[in-house]
Amino acid sequence: MECEFIQYQDGEYGCGVIGKVVNTTADESVMNGDTVDIEKVAAIAFDPYTHGYYKVTERVGNAFKDGLQLK
């Protein structure tokens, strides 16, 4: 993903960067038709609290749907 820097935020609870995605590309090996197959990407995420890297592969819920059950 290619992002454009928008703003740096430094607050009471931590800091962060806000950006705007301006371009996204993916290798054909991670594609499933016209969509990206996240399991093929083998993405990792950094957790700043534990200083650890974690694999991102398993789908655990549905955005904008699962939370409705809690209302």
Side-chain angles (χ1 to χ4, degrees), residues 1-68:
M1 298 179 103
E2 179 184 354
C3 299
E4 175 185 323
F5 174 80
I6 301 294
Q7 180 182 30
Y8 176 79
Q9 296 181 333
D10 189 11
E12 180 180 352
Y13 300 106
C15 60
V17 174
I18 302 202
K20 175 183 176 183
V21 177
V22 294
N23 188 29
T24 304
T25 59
D27 191 84
E28 289 183 17
S29 67
V30 300
M31 300 297 291
N32 186 6
D34 290 341
T35 60
V36 174
D37 184 337
I38 194 65
E39 291 184 4
K40 291 179 181 177
V41 172
I44 60 171
F46 174 67
D47 178 3
Y49 297 103
T50 65
H51 298 160
Y53 291 97
Y54 297 89
K55 290 175 70 174
V56 180
T57 57
E58 182 183 357
R59 183 182 182 128
V60 295
N62 297 302
F64 310 107
K65 294 182 181 177
D66 291 349
L68 294 175

